[in-house]
């Protein structure tokens, strides 16, 4: 690690989370806690210890005092074998990738689909997200589309299976003003003053994919909308005194976090496992109407929030570039983070690996830092970064830029792993990974089209690990700070 605690942690994390460890960890579990701890299987595995180390080898209550004291000393000398928890072999971990899905092992696949149109022409896609069965897209005019997408070849020989939402793509749907308005998320207009990259932080989906949470509305509300009827808000949350500028949902947890120009961050509890249509008549809402936490500390408008339940933190940033870290459990302020970004921070994300990935307002500077306020790496993109997403295992950062390029970085040290000229001359306004294998990058473009490009996440992760192993010094970004 060359004296770097960050490099020490990341190298061990990559090793412990590698496929090799995942494949061999069940054998270790069998030896310590499982079927190879005792009996013939233990003998065959050369895993036999002194008999007094095993649980239940002697009944101390039935032994004389002098003898029991001697046995206690022997047990203290030899140690104790853990309790045997399993009598059968521990199952193997499921493979990271589904081999039946598209993989970029030998070739590059790409396809462009019509996605969003409006009465005034093509509608830039400001937010896109993939679920196991659908592909959600929101245009700048708040038009909402639910496409069908699978990273598998279709019957016509195309590399992907895509079925467009005709309600927003066909000319018939967009020429009827009333029908088009019925597909606009939330039912309330955006407040002015949002940049294109900031618009992507105004939408999030629920864990079950049935609800869209939207912010940025002129009436300072947060709106909860069913994907089956996006034109009318199912619930309206009012807790902020100014326009809500950003929101985020914790994966795997029922938490909604919102930030506003009133300098406040609110944490809301989401009701889980309810039938939204049936429970409406009983007064059960999607989100609890009263926030569970109110987070203070900002002195200017909050522009971005990110919550991660695994890390247990809510990160928020204001216009001055001041980033705060709060506990998601009790709201305590944990850390003040200064990333020293040129011109301040435009967007950022808090990953499962407790990493903060931030993008400066000049659109080109990218910073990777720890939650302990240590900058691990910095890099400068050649053109303005307009959108980004992070893989589920927090190892890969995928960005889209104003020149139509998709770039893949290693989260640890921001080394460039791959660059694909997806749509030269057409700006990318949103980017996401497919929900199943993360082997396809779904790119929303300014002309209202969606581009699907295959990636090879396995080889990209391997390349990132090799870069870490070959690194002989700490990153230049850290040395210069």
């Amino acid at each position: 690690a060359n004296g770097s605690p960050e490099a020490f942690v990341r190298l061990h994390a990559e090793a412990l989370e590698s496929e090799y460890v995942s494949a061999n960890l069940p054998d270790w579990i069998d030896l310590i806690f499982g079927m190879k701890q005792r009996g013939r299987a233990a003998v065959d595995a050369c895993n036999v210890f002194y008999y007094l180390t095993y649980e239940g080898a002697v009944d101390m209550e039935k032994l004389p005092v002098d003898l029991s004291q001697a046995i206690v000393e022997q047990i203290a000398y030899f140690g104790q074998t853990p309790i045997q928890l399993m009598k059968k072999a521990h199952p193997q971990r499921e493979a990271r990738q589904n081999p039946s899905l598209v993989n970029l092992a030998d070739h590059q696949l790409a396809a462009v689909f019509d996605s969003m149109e409006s009465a005034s022409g093509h509608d830039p896609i400001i937010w896109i997200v993939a679920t196991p069965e659908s592909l959600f897209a929101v245009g700048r005019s708040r038009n909402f589309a639910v496409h069908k997408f699978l990273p598998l070849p279709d019957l016509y020989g195309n590399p992907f299976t895509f079925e467009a939402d005709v309600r927003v793509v066909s000319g018939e749907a967009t020429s009827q003003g009333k029908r088009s308005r019925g597909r606009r998320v939330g039912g309330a207009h955006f407040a002015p003053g949002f940049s294109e990259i900031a618009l992507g932080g105004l939408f999030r989906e629920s864990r079950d994919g049935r609800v869209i949470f939207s912010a940025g509305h002129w009436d300072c509300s947060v709106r909860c909308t069913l994907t089956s009827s996006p034109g009318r808000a199912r619930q309206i949350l009012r807790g902020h005194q100014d326009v809500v500028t950003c929101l985020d949902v914790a994966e795997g947890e029922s938490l909604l976090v919102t930030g506003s120009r009133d300098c406040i961050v609110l944490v809301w509890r989401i009701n889980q496992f309810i039938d939204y249509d049936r429970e409406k008549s009983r007064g059960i809402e999607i989100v609890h109407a009263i926030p569970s936490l109110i987070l203070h500390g900002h002195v200017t408008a909050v522009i971005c929030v990110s919550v991660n339940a695994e890390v247990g933190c809510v990160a928020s940033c204001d216009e001055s570039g001041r980033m705060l870290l709060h506990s998601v459990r009790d709201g305590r302020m944990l850390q003040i983070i200064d990333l020293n970004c040129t011109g301040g921070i435009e967007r950022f994300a808090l990953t499962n690996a407790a990493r903060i990935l931030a993008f400066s307002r000049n659109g080109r500077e990218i910073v990777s830092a720890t939650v302990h306020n240590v900058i691990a790496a910095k890099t400068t993109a050649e053109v303005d970064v307009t959108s980004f997403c992070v893989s589920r295992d927090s190892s890969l950062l995928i960005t889209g830029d104003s020149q139509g390029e998709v770039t893949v970085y290693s989260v640890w040290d921001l080394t460039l792993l791959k660059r694909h000229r997806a749509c030269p001359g057409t700006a990318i306004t949103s980017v996401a990974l497919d929900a199943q294998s993360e082997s396809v990058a779904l790119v929303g473009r300014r002309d209202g089209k969606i581009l699907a490009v295959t990636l090879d996440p396995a080889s990209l992760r391997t390349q990132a690990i090799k870069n870490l192993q070959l690194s002989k010094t700490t990153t230049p970004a850290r040395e210069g700070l």
Side-chain angles (χ1 to χ4, degrees):
N2 299 292
S4 170
E6 289 76 32
F8 178 85
V9 171
R10 72 188 185 189
L11 286 170
H12 280 78
E14 290 290 347
L16 292 173
E17 296 171 7
S18 66
E19 292 299 322
Y20 177 84
V21 171
S22 296
N24 291 276
L25 187 60
D27 293 334
W28 178 84
I29 295 175
D30 289 339
L31 290 170
I32 306 302
F33 302 102
M35 60 171 293
K36 295 181 181 179
Q37 187 197 86
R38 301 188 182 193
R40 186 63 195 176
V43 175
D44 294 340
C46 297
N47 191 40
V48 179
F49 297 91
Y50 189 64
Y51 79 100
L52 288 178
T53 64
Y54 293 95
E55 181 191 27
V58 292
D59 189 347
M60 303 296 295
E61 296 181 355
K62 295 182 178 180
L63 295 177
V65 176
D66 55 344
L67 183 58
S68 63
Q69 181 61 33
I71 291 178
V72 167
E73 292 178 359
Q74 292 185 63
I75 293 175
Y77 178 81
F78 286 105
Q80 287 183 284
T81 303
I83 299 173
Q84 188 177 26
L85 301 178
M86 294 165 288
K87 300 294 182 68
K88 297 181 180 180
H90 191 278
Q92 290 284 337
R93 180 183 178 183
E94 292 183 1
R96 173 175 286 172
Q97 283 187 304
N98 187 339
S100 65
L101 300 178
V102 175
N103 195 315
L104 185 60
D106 304 310
H107 55 282
Q108 178 80 50
L109 297 177
V112 179
F113 310 105
D114 289 329
S115 173
M116 199 76 67
E117 296 177 4
S118 63
S120 59
H122 295 295
D123 196 6
I125 301 174
I126 59 173
W127 181 71
I128 187 172
V129 66
T131 68
E133 298 179 354
S134 302
L135 178 62
F136 298 154
V138 175
R140 192 181 183 92
S141 64
R142 293 185 294 110
N143 276 341
F144 177 71
V146 182
H147 306 296
K148 299 296 183 182
F149 177 84
L150 287 174
L152 298 170
D154 62 14
L155 298 177
Y156 304 99
N158 298 314
F160 309 109
T161 301
F162 183 86
E163 181 181 338
D165 188 342
V166 297
R167 292 168 291 188
V168 294
V169 174
S170 66
E172 176 185 358
T174 56
S175 64
Q176 300 175 12
K178 182 177 180 181
R179 189 173 178 183
S180 178
R181 286 194 298 270
R183 300 297 297 175
R184 292 183 179 178
V185 175
H189 292 288
F190 286 143
F194 288 101
S195 65
E196 195 166 71
I197 189 172
L199 288 173
L202 300 180
F203 300 92
R204 288 296 183 270
E205 82 284 2
S206 62
R207 182 170 61 175
D208 59 8
R210 296 181 59 193
V211 179
I212 298 295
F213 303 102
S214 61
H217 302 292
W218 65 271
D219 61 352
C220 311
S221 66
V222 176
R223 299 192 167 224
C224 311
T225 307
L226 299 183
T227 56
S228 57
S229 56
R232 177 178 297 179
R234 171 66 171 75
Q235 182 184 1
I236 299 177
L237 300 175
R238 301 189 185 277
H240 290 283
Q241 303 302 313
D242 207 333
V243 174
V244 181
T245 56
C246 49
L247 53 78
D248 196 19
V249 174
E251 293 186 11
E253 291 288 336
S254 54
L255 294 177
L256 169 68
V257 179
T258 59
S260 169
R261 292 174 184 170
D262 62 7
C263 310
I264 299 296
V265 176
L266 299 180
V267 180
W268 313 75
R269 288 285 176 182
I270 304 173
N271 284 318
Q272 299 186 80
F273 312 116
I274 64 172
D275 187 327
Y276 302 114
D277 297 323
R278 178 180 301 176
E279 301 293 352
K280 182 178 181 180
S281 60
R282 298 173 54 188
I284 299 178
E285 301 291 353
I286 298 172
V287 179
H288 291 281
I290 300 177
S292 59
L293 293 174
I294 302 176
L295 309 181
H296 300 274
H298 292 288
V299 295
T300 57
V302 179
I303 59 173
C304 189
V305 294
S306 182
V307 58
N308 193 295
E310 291 190 18
V311 181
C313 296
V314 175
S316 56
C317 183
D318 58 31
E319 288 181 340
S320 67
R322 176 186 177 93
M323 183 178 293
L324 303 180
L325 210 64
H326 289 85
S327 169
V328 78
R329 294 173 177 82
D330 55 16
R332 289 181 300 110
M333 185 184 295
L334 304 175
Q335 187 73 266
I336 299 176
I337 298 175
D338 182 14
L339 299 183
N340 195 25
C341 284
T342 305
I345 297 173
E346 183 73 29
R347 289 281 304 278
F348 74 91
L350 176 61
T351 71
N352 295 336
R355 278 295 177 109
I356 296 172
L357 298 172
F359 300 80
S360 67
R361 285 189 175 178
N362 66 13
R364 299 195 177 187
E365 191 174 42
I366 308 173
V367 180
S368 176
T370 70
V371 293
H372 304 293
N373 199 20
V374 176
I375 297 178
K378 274 190 177 182
T379 190
T380 302
E382 296 180 0
V383 295
D384 293 345
V385 176
T386 54
S387 56
F388 73 96
C389 67
V390 183
S391 62
R392 283 191 295 268
D393 66 351
S394 303
S395 63
L396 302 177
L397 168 66
I398 298 90
T399 66
D401 59 42
S402 58
Q403 297 300 315
E405 291 188 350
V406 176
T407 308
V408 183
Y409 298 92
S410 168
V411 167
W412 289 107
D413 53 8
L414 296 181
T415 55
L416 178 64
L417 302 178
K418 183 178 180 60
R419 176 174 292 158
H420 177 68
R421 299 186 182 277
C423 45
T426 303
I428 294 173
T429 52
S430 55
V431 64
L433 294 173
D434 76 277
Q436 299 185 48
S437 65
E438 295 191 321
S439 61
V440 179
L442 300 161
V443 178
R445 310 193 325 188
R446 186 168 290 166
D447 60 3
K449 297 181 182 297
I450 291 178
L451 172 69
V453 181
T454 53
L455 303 174
D456 187 2
S459 67
L460 291 172
R461 291 185 181 100
T462 301
Q463 182 180 344
I465 294 172
K466 288 182 178 179
N467 291 340
L468 291 175
Q469 294 171 342
L470 294 175
S471 176
K472 298 183 187 238
T473 60
T474 56
T475 59
R478 181 178 171 82
E479 293 175 353
L481 296 175

